[in-house]
Amino acid sequence: MHDHFFVRLARGSAPFVIWALHFTLCYGLAAAQCTPGGMRAGGPDRVLLGVATVVALAACVWLGWRARGRLREPDVGLSNRAAVAGAMLGVVAIAWNGIPLLLVAGCA
């Protein structure tokens, strides 16, 4: 297989990009909804935050599943192993960031 460097780089770093987007979206949304001008009754929109977390988790699991299939090839390289490890780390990071967002009862 003749993968180019940037394709392998994107494959390995995509879960971290998904995590960064999830982090920015969720905490930015929670901060915007908890400001005095944008205060919502009941705090941040937990349904929207939950949907964003589930979508980000599903994307990282899908990337990990695809990368796992490449581990069965005879010429497994470091980039393929890094893609699987990155997907697993992305799932853990997104779940870790999503737990407090789903447990927040309101703006304090």
Side-chain angles (χ1 to χ4, degrees):
M1 183 181 291
H2 298 288
D3 282 339
H4 296 288
F5 173 75
F6 289 109
V7 172
R8 291 189 311 238
L9 181 66
R11 196 180 296 145
S13 62
F16 300 115
V17 172
I18 293 170
W19 165 75
L21 291 173
H22 172 264
F23 182 87
T24 304
L25 172 79
C26 289
Y27 282 92
L29 181 67
Q33 290 179 347
C34 284
T35 59
M39 185 71 83
R40 288 181 37 135
D45 188 3
R46 295 191 321 176
V47 173
L48 181 60
L49 297 175
V51 168
T53 301
V54 169
V55 167
L57 283 171
C60 282
V61 166
W62 179 72
L63 287 171
W65 188 260
R66 286 190 56 199
R68 181 200 58 84
R70 282 186 223 95
L71 290 180
R72 297 180 183 190
E73 295 175 359
D75 57 343
V76 176
L78 180 61
S79 64
N80 290 331
R81 294 177 197 264
V84 172
M88 290 189 302
L89 285 172
V91 167
V92 170
I94 291 167
W96 189 259
N97 286 336
I99 290 172
L101 291 172
L102 296 176
L103 297 177
V104 170
C107 300

